[in-house]
Amino acid sequence: MSAGTLHLNANNQGLRPVDLRRDLSGIASLMELCFGDMLDYTGRYAVREMEFLSRTGPLLWLLGSVAPNWRLGFVWVENGNVVGNVSTQVSEFDRRTWLAANVAVHPDHRRRGIAAALTEAAIRLAAENGATCVLLQVHQHNTGALDLYRALGFHVVTTRTTWERSSRVETQGIPLPGVEVRPARRDEWEAEFELVKELRPAGFNWLRPLRKTDWRPSFWRSLANFFTGNSVSHWLAVDESAGKLAGAFIIETGFGVVDQVALVVRPEWCGRLERPLLATALRRLAHRPWTVRIDHPASDEPAEAALKEFGFRSTQTLVWMRKDLS
């Protein structure tokens, strides 16, 4: 049976849009079953939140009545149970970009085309609402899912490993002769953007494309960060002999449970600059009690060595994939 023939039958079994009032508990259980060991803090929090909402009765009914189903995704139902799910969402950074997430099928119902049907439904929904592309993530070793998404027209954008460090051990600075590591000046934003564009064209976050406007200093962005408690700090590593940027790192903090760091290093400085940049970033975060997270390109051996030295551990490696819609 092909994916194109799978649909909701007269007994309300098969593919249909998510109905929060009926499906939330089943979706939470399915996510826990399929992704439990791989969920990060954000994922675990989302599951707990769904489980809580599923028990709120009238509140859930009200939420289900006002929430537009077309934004929630699809489920696959068998004998009244949710056995498959895909979440859909418009990217907050680009209304023409849609996200497909949490594609999950109960182990007892796999190899029947359900995952393909769910993903195709998400693609159709995005196209019908004016999307120009669909993004998703998949674990590097999930070869079955990778093959499925390639067959559906997705291509690999990049592969990133997530590293986390919970230790609050004081980190000593590591000087590197010939390189000055310092905060970026306001007039250096364009040079920093060009460096990141050259070395990390996919950007730092799968949800957020690399856009020049996000790097230009903005009074309104600074004001918004002030009121929300968020902070973004840009640091540069300047090759003093060549008078150009050798690397950079960015620190994003807030009131959450994770501080985010992203770094880039020019190829000619690989193996020498990662440790000084990481040491400086960790010293800047030493007073904060939260976990430090870095999403970094997979198979970057110099960076991996430095991350392990400073107490980071890898938690997952995800492949970012994209499908362009005609």
Side-chain angles (χ1 to χ4, degrees), residues 125-324:
L125 183 62
E128 290 165 1
N129 285 276
T132 57
C133 72
V134 178
L135 303 179
L136 57 77
Q137 288 182 311
V138 58
H139 282 267
Q140 182 184 41
H141 299 301
N142 192 346
T143 56
L146 285 166
D147 291 341
L148 167 64
Y149 299 140
R150 287 192 181 99
L152 293 176
F154 286 86
H155 64 272
V156 174
V157 176
T158 186
T159 303
R160 298 284 171 83
T161 299
T162 299
W163 298 81
E164 293 186 350
R165 178 184 191 261
S166 300
S167 171
R168 306 266 42 103
V169 175
E170 180 72 19
T171 303
Q172 300 300 315
I174 301 176
L176 183 63
V179 174
E180 179 188 16
V181 179
R182 58 166 175 78
R185 300 191 299 264
R186 286 182 64 86
D187 62 352
E188 293 177 310
W189 70 269
E190 196 163 9
E192 183 188 7
F193 171 78
E194 292 299 329
L195 177 71
V196 175
K197 181 181 177 182
E198 174 187 346
L199 301 177
R200 300 281 278 280
F204 293 124
N205 188 312
W206 79 287
L207 302 175
R208 187 169 191 160
L210 193 61
R211 302 184 303 184
K212 194 171 185 177
T213 54
D214 292 336
W215 296 74
R216 182 182 292 111
S218 165
F219 167 77
W220 296 109
R221 191 180 305 120
S222 299
L223 185 65
N225 286 339
F226 173 79
F227 282 110
T228 60
N230 296 327
S231 173
V232 181
S233 177
H234 296 254
W235 285 67
L236 305 178
V238 182
D239 181 344
E240 295 176 315
S241 62
K244 68 175 186 178
L245 299 185
F249 70 82
I250 301 170
I251 301 174
E252 296 187 38
T253 61
F255 292 132
V257 296
V258 174
D259 292 331
Q260 194 82 28
V261 176
L263 63 90
V264 294
V265 175
R266 286 196 183 277
E268 58 267 33
W269 284 96
C270 283
R272 293 182 290 164
L273 191 53
E274 291 86 356
R275 294 176 69 249
L277 290 181
L278 278 172
T280 304
L282 293 174
R283 283 173 63 83
R284 299 292 301 177
L285 293 168
H287 66 288
R288 294 176 59 82
W290 292 287
T291 295
V292 180
R293 176 182 296 162
I294 296 179
D295 290 321
H296 199 74
S299 303
D300 183 344
E301 294 182 3
E304 289 183 9
L307 288 162
K308 290 177 181 177
E309 177 184 341
F310 288 118
F312 284 85
R313 63 180 184 87
S314 61
T315 61
Q316 62 182 358
T317 298
L318 297 175
V319 181
W320 303 5
M321 304 189 76
R322 172 187 177 112
K323 178 181 174 66
D324 294 310

Side-chain angles (χ1 to χ4, degrees), residues 35-148:
F35 305 127
D37 295 338
M38 299 178 287
L39 291 174
D40 59 11
Y41 173 84
T42 302
R44 291 192 297 271
Y45 178 82
V47 171
R48 288 197 299 269
E49 189 175 52
M50 285 190 287
E51 291 172 342
F52 170 76
L53 284 173
S54 70
R55 298 190 295 268
T56 56
L59 177 61
L60 180 61
W61 183 268
L62 176 63
L63 182 62
S65 298
V66 300
N69 283 347
W70 59 270
R71 291 180 182 271
L72 300 174
F74 300 89
V75 291
W76 188 273
V77 181
E78 294 280 348
N79 299 317
N81 298 315
V82 174
V83 301
N85 175 67
V86 61
S87 301
T88 56
Q89 179 182 343
V90 181
S91 170
E92 64 177 300
F93 303 106
D94 182 357
R95 306 296 296 179
R96 298 168 301 174
T97 297
W98 276 54
L99 314 174
N102 305 326
V103 180
V105 177
H106 192 287
D108 294 342
H109 296 269
R110 292 173 182 170
R111 304 291 184 268
R112 295 174 46 205
I114 294 176
L118 290 164
T119 308
E120 288 176 331
I123 294 169
R124 286 195 302 271
L125 183 62
E128 290 165 1
N129 285 276
T132 57
C133 72
V134 178
L135 303 179
L136 57 77
Q137 288 182 311
V138 58
H139 282 267
Q140 182 184 41
H141 299 301
N142 192 346
T143 56
L146 285 166
D147 291 341
L148 167 64

